[in-house]
Amino acid sequence: MRFASPGAMDEYSRFVDWDKMDMSAQSQDTKELTCTDLHELKQLARQGYWAKNHSLRAKVYHKLISNIPCRTVTPDANVYRDIVVKITGKRNSSSLPLPEFVDNSLIPTYCLNAEGIGAVRKIILCIANQFPDISFCPALPSVIALLLHYSKDEAECFEQVCRILACNDPSRRLIDQTFLAFESSCMTFGDLVNKYCQAAHKLMVAVSEDVLEVYSDWQRWLFGELPMAYIARIFDVFLVEGYKVLYRVALALLKFFHKVRAGQPMESDSIQQDIRAFVRDIAKSVSPERLLEKAFAIRLFSRKEIQLLQMANEKALQQKGITVKQKSLTSPKRQNVHLAVHAENFKSEIVSVKEMRDIWSWIPERFALCQPLLLFTTLEHGCSLSRFYSHSEGHEPTLLLIKTTAKEVCGAYLSTDWSERRRGGNKLSFFGTGECFVFRLQPEVERYEWVVIKHPELASTGSETENHAQTASSTLSSSSIPSDPSDRLSPFLAARHFNLPSKTASMFMAGSSECIIVGGGDGQALYLDADLNHGRTSHCNTFNNQPLCSESFQISILEVWGFRDTMNG
């Protein structure tokens, strides 16, 4: 028995093959949307208020997209009608060559009919004609294919996609349109996985030769592999809340992949292929609503913090000359942990190659492009705090490794140049950012990150909630972030960006002629004396850590490692 299609008389059904649509998910109820309050709209989007009515969803998409602030001259439906025949000619649309910037992306057909499938290519070519600045945009075919389901004709779809591409609100990122933006988003996603999906990240490091290559697939999972019902629900929320939603959903996909596949043998020789297959068949294990529920249960950084991280990653890529896609490579080769920490060029008296690779997998992506460089070791430079400073200063970040006389091994990743300690004059004062972390390797491996990452509520005091942070960040103007990439960026996870109840939650690192301290507040994660001979460790508020080794210990060897940029010598 064939259901009557709810869109049979729908003005937005021209490109839909109703035999492919999930009819059980469609409702005949006639609903309207009169809400204009952003908070209420956000709740309705998350709840799927317009998801079960094809016509209503089309009208909501149209309204939301028409409200996107755009460049003064943004191509509209009339432009499409004027240029489409000139650009595509009379050729069969399936034979039309795609522009290089879609990077051989999958062109999802979703629930499109033959006319809709052909229309995707025509619209892509017309967008290429009108947006010569687009150099890399693999998500575009999926966005066009999705919006065609909710458009009256090709011209209307073209106009809606153009508005998304022409958004000129500096705080509102929608779709990556350059290789630099895309690649830095992949690095940012890798950083977020490292912070929020540690079990999945550990698996990726163990089974893949190049972790960033796996994470570079994150947009393909969303705009290529996900079934129509899922990407449409994500798009509902994306149009209201923006780019951050995409990170959330991709993190949730990785969490579900790890949960479903944990302990099972890989289905192919490639973890990349396994994740793609899992996402394609996600309906077997997770519903769209459950996926979104999981995504919004992740307590992510504010939009402003993610923007700062993205900009730091872009700056790192620019400094390394990685701004365009290399045609000879599938992606610019990151120095993955196996190449960065190579048995032939790495030697430490404290950690093995494998242990250093474990540590390297924890560091931010923009520094994982580098190789370890030994700056200081007590075996060669002696047990002197002044020599420790003279060899470490001028390097940012650094890695501190300690081996005790009891053969315990612990350390810290320190985000900031030790020369910053001088800002406090002779007074011991803390500095650094929330990217700092402490760890132990022996007798067992454990990493402790800034307490605010796992407990963001500590940075809220009623007036500062996640919603407030998001609203505030939406007013972020280009004047609040340096436009010149050579300017020093406001650091990612700087304590001043957070409304912390006390300073004890942000005591990252401190140094004087008398001692070094890492982590403070009701204890210290690490305290080292001026002779680099003795130390103490205890629980501290900054990292909420357990003691990293015996609470009072004698140092056998101490090493400081820097990060050598192999691409710039």
Side-chain angles (χ1 to χ4, degrees):
M1 179 179 173
R2 188 168 181 265
F3 290 98
S5 64
M9 303 299 291
D10 184 343
E11 60 185 329
Y12 300 101
S13 63
R14 174 174 170 179
F15 302 110
V16 179
D17 182 341
W18 288 100
D19 289 335
K20 295 178 185 174
M21 286 287 262
D22 179 4
M23 308 309 294
S24 62
Q26 293 297 309
S27 165
Q28 297 279 16
D29 293 347
T30 304
K31 291 196 287 189
E32 292 296 327
L33 186 71
T34 55
C35 159
T36 55
D37 177 69
L38 183 62
H39 182 73
E40 188 182 346
L41 202 57
K42 187 187 292 187
Q43 294 307 312
L44 292 174
R46 292 188 184 189
Q47 292 161 11
Y49 180 83
W50 54 82
K52 291 188 177 181
N53 186 299
H54 188 265
S55 179
L56 179 62
R57 180 183 257 162
K59 289 171 184 173
V60 172
Y61 280 6
H62 193 274
K63 185 176 178 60
L64 292 173
I65 292 171
S66 66
N67 286 334
I68 293 173
C70 293
R71 299 196 284 259
T72 309
V73 181
T74 297
D76 61 12
N78 288 327
V79 169
Y80 183 81
R81 295 184 187 105
D82 288 343
I83 66 173
V84 63
V85 175
K86 297 173 196 168
I87 290 171
T88 63
K90 304 281 187 186
R91 287 177 292 173
N92 185 315
S93 55
S94 63
S95 67
L96 294 171
L98 291 176
E100 281 191 9
F101 67 66
V102 300
D103 193 41
N104 296 319
S105 301
L106 298 176
I107 299 189
T109 56
Y110 296 134
C111 302
L112 292 174
N113 57 26
E115 185 184 3
I117 293 167
V120 176
R121 284 178 176 262
K122 290 161 67 177
I123 294 170
I124 291 173
L125 288 170
C126 289
I127 284 173
N129 173 268
Q130 293 293 302
F131 288 84
D133 291 343
I134 296 180
S135 58
F136 197 78
C137 193
L140 187 61
S142 171
V143 172
I144 293 171
L146 177 67
L147 287 176
L148 272 169
H149 294 76
Y150 304 99
S151 300
K152 294 175 185 174
D153 56 30
E154 292 172 18
E156 182 178 271
C157 180
F158 169 84
E159 180 174 321
Q160 294 198 71
V161 176
C162 286
R163 291 194 66 82
I164 291 172
L165 294 170
C167 174
N168 64 356
D169 180 345
S171 70
R172 192 168 179 184
R173 182 192 182 127
L174 291 174
I175 295 179
D176 295 329
Q177 297 172 46
T178 66
F179 186 73
L180 181 63
F182 172 82
E183 191 65 16
S184 62
S185 79
C186 296
M187 291 169 68
T188 302
F189 179 67
D191 287 325
L192 296 176
V193 174
N194 200 346
K195 300 257 184 264
Y196 295 103
C197 308
Q198 292 184 9
H201 182 64
K202 190 174 180 181
L203 173 67
M204 300 303 128
V205 171
V207 301
S208 64
E209 289 188 4
D210 188 343
V211 181
L212 188 60
E213 199 171 315
V214 176
Y215 296 152
S216 292
D217 247 11
W218 80 278
Q219 289 196 25
R220 176 177 172 147
W221 303 341
L222 306 178
F223 298 112
E225 305 292 359
L226 272 178
M228 166 76 184
Y230 291 76
I231 187 61
R233 282 295 290 116
I234 293 163
F235 213 74
D236 292 346
V237 189
F238 166 74
L239 285 177
V240 177
E241 300 189 40
Y243 198 92
K244 187 175 168 183
V245 168
L246 305 181
Y247 282 135
R248 285 186 178 282
V249 175
L251 289 169
L253 285 170
L254 205 53
K255 281 178 176 283
F256 277 123
F257 172 79
H258 180 260
K259 181 180 178 182
V260 171
R261 295 289 173 83
Q264 295 181 17
M266 286 175 58
E267 294 189 355
S268 73
D269 294 335
S270 159
I271 190 78
Q272 245 177 321
Q273 297 299 335
D274 277 13
I275 298 174
R276 289 175 186 177
F278 171 78
V279 175
R280 271 196 304 274
D281 297 332
I282 193 165
K284 294 177 181 175
S285 47
V286 183
S287 69
E289 301 313 314
R290 180 76 185 95
L291 178 63
L292 283 177
E293 186 182 312
K294 184 80 166 177
F296 287 105
I298 301 169
R299 301 289 297 276
L300 266 189
F301 304 124
S302 73
R303 223 184 307 177
K304 179 180 175 182
E305 283 304 315
I306 291 176
Q307 190 177 11
L308 288 170
L309 176 58
Q310 181 96 13
M311 292 182 73
N313 284 331
E314 281 193 14
K315 185 176 180 181
L317 288 167
Q318 285 172 325
Q319 289 171 341
K320 290 164 180 60
I322 302 174
T323 56
V324 296
K325 186 175 175 68
Q326 304 298 310
K327 291 184 181 179
S328 60
L329 300 172
T330 54
S331 65
K333 279 296 178 185
R334 166 200 201 249
Q335 288 289 337
N336 65 71
V337 292
H338 295 282
L339 292 176
V341 187
H342 198 278
E344 291 176 9
N345 58 22
F346 173 77
K347 181 167 174 53
S348 165
E349 298 301 326
I350 298 179
V351 295
S352 66
V353 170
K354 183 189 178 302
E355 288 170 326
M356 193 59 148
R357 285 175 178 169
D358 285 342
I359 297 169
W360 224 247
S361 74
W362 297 334
I363 65 175
E365 286 289 346
R366 63 190 184 278
F367 300 115
L369 292 158
C370 305
Q371 289 184 341
L373 173 67
L374 184 61
L375 303 175
F376 173 86
T377 168
T378 51
L379 291 179
E380 182 182 336
H381 302 107
C383 297
S384 159
L385 194 49
S386 63
R387 284 199 285 272
F388 170 98
Y389 289 135
S390 67
H391 283 82
S392 302
E393 285 176 9
H395 294 271
E396 181 179 292
T398 53
L399 191 65
L400 175 67
L401 296 177
I402 298 166
K403 187 174 187 177
T404 72
T405 52
K407 295 187 170 29
E408 301 157 308
V409 175
C410 61
Y413 170 83
L414 303 167
S415 66
T416 307
D417 191 329
W418 277 106
S419 63
E420 287 284 311
R421 77 187 193 283
R422 296 203 190 91
R423 290 198 171 192
N426 294 323
K427 182 184 170 188
L428 186 74
S429 59
F430 282 88
F431 55 98
T433 71
E435 285 195 293
C436 293
F437 61 82
V438 295
F439 58 88
R440 64 166 174 252
L441 296 179
Q442 300 288 349
E444 71 277 325
V445 177
E446 193 70 56
R447 170 175 52 148
Y448 299 98
E449 296 195 282
W450 186 27
V451 65
V452 172
I453 292 171
K454 284 192 175 176
H455 300 283
E457 67 276 6
L458 295 176
S460 304
T461 56
S463 64
E464 179 85 352
T465 63
E466 171 71 359
N467 285 336
H468 176 79
Q470 286 183 346
T471 305
S473 71
S474 69
T475 63
L476 196 66
S477 69
S478 54
S479 61
S480 62
I481 291 181
S483 57
D484 182 350
S486 66
D487 290 346
R488 184 180 174 86
L489 291 172
S490 179
F492 171 57
L493 296 190
R496 66 177 179 273
H497 300 168
F498 295 81
N499 193 3
L500 297 168
S502 74
K503 289 186 177 179
T504 63
S506 60
M507 293 179 166
F508 302 113
M509 52 194 288
S512 68
S513 58
E514 303 296 322
C515 66
I516 281 172
I517 297 173
V518 179
D522 293 339
Q524 293 149 349
L526 280 172
Y527 172 95
L528 307 179
D529 67 11
D531 297 326
L532 300 183
N533 234 326
H534 292 89
R536 301 192 299 270
T537 178
S538 63
H539 169 272
C540 79
N541 290 356
T542 304
F543 299 111
N544 194 28
N545 59 288
Q546 295 300 311
L548 302 178
C549 56
S550 304
E551 293 196 22
S552 181
F553 59 87
Q554 191 167 347
I555 297 170
S556 171
I557 309 169
L558 181 148
E559 293 175 350
V560 179
W561 290 82
F563 295 75
R564 179 172 57 200
D565 185 349
T566 57
M567 302 184 83
N568 287 336

